[in-house]
Amino acid sequence: MACVKLNSLSSQWIANNPFSSRRGSSSSSISTAPRGVSLRIRASYSDELVQTAKTVASRGRGILAIDESNATCGKRLASIGLDNTEVNRQAYRQLLLTTPGLGEYISGAILFEETLYQSTTDGKKFVDVLREEKIVPGIKVDKGLVPLPGSNNESWCQGLDGLASRSAEYYKQGARFAKWRTVVSIPSGPSALAVKEAAWGLARYAAISQDNGLVPIVEPEILLDGDHPIERTLEVAEKVWSEVFFYLAQNNVLFEGILLKPSMVTPGAEHKQKASPETIANFTLNLLKRRVPPAVPGIMFLSGGQSEVEATLNLNAMNQSPNPWHVSFSYARALQNTVLKTWQGRPENVEAAQKSLLVRAKANSLAQLGRYSAEGENEEAKKGMFVKGYTY
């Protein structure tokens, strides 16, 4: 146990200034403290943050991630022969967000900035469409990955500059949670520098998001790239999440007002031996129990290039017994792959594509409840989607 020695001036100030919750009042104030003692009480969104996190982490529901950048969305559209135009991006996202009954299985939707400000073709804001389905709107706030100088060809995530003002605007537009994705590469080390940079960046983002009313999704994605065994993935994941929570605490982040978006603990995509859903669940839950406080309300897994069926089977295996947190999904490709191929950019296919989205959303809802069976799944849903060096 670490002990802190206080001088007499500090002790006197603490005695005369009882500690209160960091987020306990509706106004922002900075207490006057002697030199060497700093205590900042920031504007409070604590109750709202906790309620938002609980709503997203609600039983039988998960997150639909449609926050791909315009460039990445363009690649998806190109796969079905469509040009990367705002009209086509809007049409595809309208298909997804207006799916009747989506809110039964989906609690939150992560949007790209363009989508947050868009409306349907009949003039209804996408944010309002989501609210009517009791789906919480979220927003991607990072500005992407760039090379990290001094590292082993690794990257860091940019976007802290101006984040506070952007987050305030996103809140006004209706967003209530945020996403920031950084990555860790096992074949590249990972270096201590890259791990620390990832953890510190996530912590600063989380603190800024909470100060502006947005529940931060904390996402240090450990990439599937590599031929390493599952034991190596666990080793790296334990190190990464240890650093992440250390810096979250240092930045006074409210754990009850965050959500996590981790990778599942799997072997590298090029490892010669695949792991069963039961093995993946065992390793992943061991990681979470060792590193994630039970105060965190929800663990919303990313699919990371797994096939639609693989991602659902693995999630189902993790929900065969009670967990300290809501263990669910935040999938992009693992919810959208079949949808896109069904749609093909044709208006007459919209209804069929929406039905395929509901099929995948319901399957993952059942997995969140531990009741999913892969019986009857089509071959398309079983195809892997791993792309080496994949970028958003």
Side-chain angles (χ1 to χ4, degrees):
M1 179 177 178
C3 297
V4 178
K5 185 176 181 180
L6 300 174
N7 59 36
S8 59
L9 183 59
S10 299
S11 300
Q12 181 181 2
W13 180 83
I14 290 173
N16 294 331
N17 293 270
F19 287 92
S20 59
S21 169
R22 177 171 84 78
R23 301 177 187 275
S25 65
S26 60
S27 61
S28 175
S29 62
I30 302 177
S31 300
T32 303
R35 183 175 298 176
V37 178
S38 176
L39 177 65
R40 186 181 177 205
I41 303 174
R42 292 184 260 191
S44 174
Y45 286 97
S46 60
D47 291 344
E48 183 179 347
L49 291 168
V50 171
Q51 185 55 52
T52 298
K54 285 181 178 178
T55 299
V56 176
S58 55
R59 180 174 169 80
R61 300 204 296 169
I63 294 174
L64 170 64
I66 56 169
D67 58 315
E68 301 92 345
S69 67
N70 287 347
T72 301
C73 190
K75 293 176 184 177
R76 305 270 173 88
L77 294 174
S79 73
I80 58 170
L82 292 183
D83 293 333
N84 185 16
T85 65
E86 183 177 353
V87 171
N88 286 337
R89 293 192 298 270
Q90 186 272 349
Y92 178 54
R93 284 161 174 164
Q94 177 171 316
L95 179 160
L96 297 169
L97 298 179
T98 61
T99 297
L102 188 63
E104 184 176 352
Y105 313 115
I106 299 297
S107 56
I110 311 173
L111 310 177
F112 190 60
E113 185 176 61
E114 177 183 78
T115 316
L116 181 68
Y117 291 91
Q118 283 178 329
S119 301
T120 64
T121 49
D122 59 5
K124 182 179 286 187
K125 293 180 179 178
F126 281 148
V127 169
D128 293 334
V129 171
L130 291 170
R131 284 173 173 162
E132 288 180 3
E133 281 284 338
K134 294 182 169 50
I135 298 172
V136 182
I139 178 69
K140 169 186 165 73
V141 299
D142 68 77
K143 293 296 184 181
L145 301 168
V146 292
L148 176 63
S151 71
N152 186 25
N153 295 318
E154 295 161 289
S155 61
W156 68 285
C157 189
Q158 57 189 345
L160 290 176
D161 289 349
L163 179 58
S165 59
R166 286 190 288 118
S167 297
E169 288 301 316
Y170 297 150
Y171 184 92
K172 289 179 185 177
Q173 185 63 18
R176 289 298 179 268
F177 70 96
K179 174 202 161 182
W180 175 286
R181 173 186 179 261
T182 192
V183 302
V184 173
S185 170
I186 293 179
S188 295
S191 67
L193 173 63
V195 172
K196 182 174 182 178
E197 174 59 44
W200 178 256
L202 284 165
R204 291 303 307 138
Y205 138 78
I208 293 167
S209 295
Q210 289 190 339
D211 272 359
N212 289 280
L214 302 179
V215 169
I217 289 182
V218 178
E219 181 185 0
E221 179 176 354
I222 298 171
L223 298 172
L224 284 176
D225 302 63
D227 59 1
H228 49 276
I230 194 170
E231 291 82 5
R232 175 60 178 156
T233 307
L234 176 63
E235 178 186 7
V236 171
E238 287 182 339
K239 173 63 175 174
V240 170
W241 281 104
S242 176
E243 295 244 355
V244 167
F245 274 100
F246 174 79
Y247 288 117
L248 287 172
Q250 278 208 335
N251 282 272
N252 300 312
V253 171
L254 178 69
F255 287 177
E256 292 86 350
I258 67 174
L259 296 166
L260 304 187
K261 186 171 179 176
S263 314
M264 297 178 189
V265 179
T266 68
E270 297 160 279
H271 187 63
K272 57 183 178 295
Q273 185 175 350
K274 292 194 70 172
S276 68
E278 293 73 25
T279 299
I280 290 170
N282 183 51
F283 273 80
T284 303
L285 290 175
N286 280 341
L287 162 69
L288 297 179
K289 290 171 184 175
R290 293 169 183 171
R291 292 294 182 266
V292 181
V296 175
I299 315 290
M300 320 299 286
F301 281 101
L302 59 90
S303 55
Q306 300 176 76
S307 76
E308 291 177 331
V309 171
E310 276 180 323
T312 310
L313 281 170
N314 292 338
L315 178 63
N316 185 71
M318 282 184 263
N319 282 299
Q320 294 308 300
S321 58
N323 291 303
W325 337 263
H326 175 82
V327 175
S328 192
F329 60 93
S330 177
Y331 293 165
R333 286 174 285 173
L335 284 173
Q336 297 180 51
N337 188 51
T338 302
V339 178
L340 193 62
K341 292 180 178 179
T342 302
W343 178 46
Q344 291 294 318
R346 298 172 184 166
E348 64 268 24
N349 292 343
V350 167
E351 185 176 348
Q354 290 179 329
K355 286 179 179 177
S356 68
L357 175 59
L358 285 180
V359 167
R360 292 263 44 93
K362 182 178 181 179
N364 286 289
S365 170
L366 290 170
Q368 198 287 310
L369 300 170
R371 302 174 188 165
Y372 168 75
S373 168
E375 185 177 348
E377 290 279 18
N378 61 46
E379 290 305 310
E380 186 62 44
K382 297 177 182 178
K383 292 180 180 177
M385 292 177 281
F386 170 72
V387 177
K388 191 171 183 177
Y390 181 77
T391 57
Y392 282 82

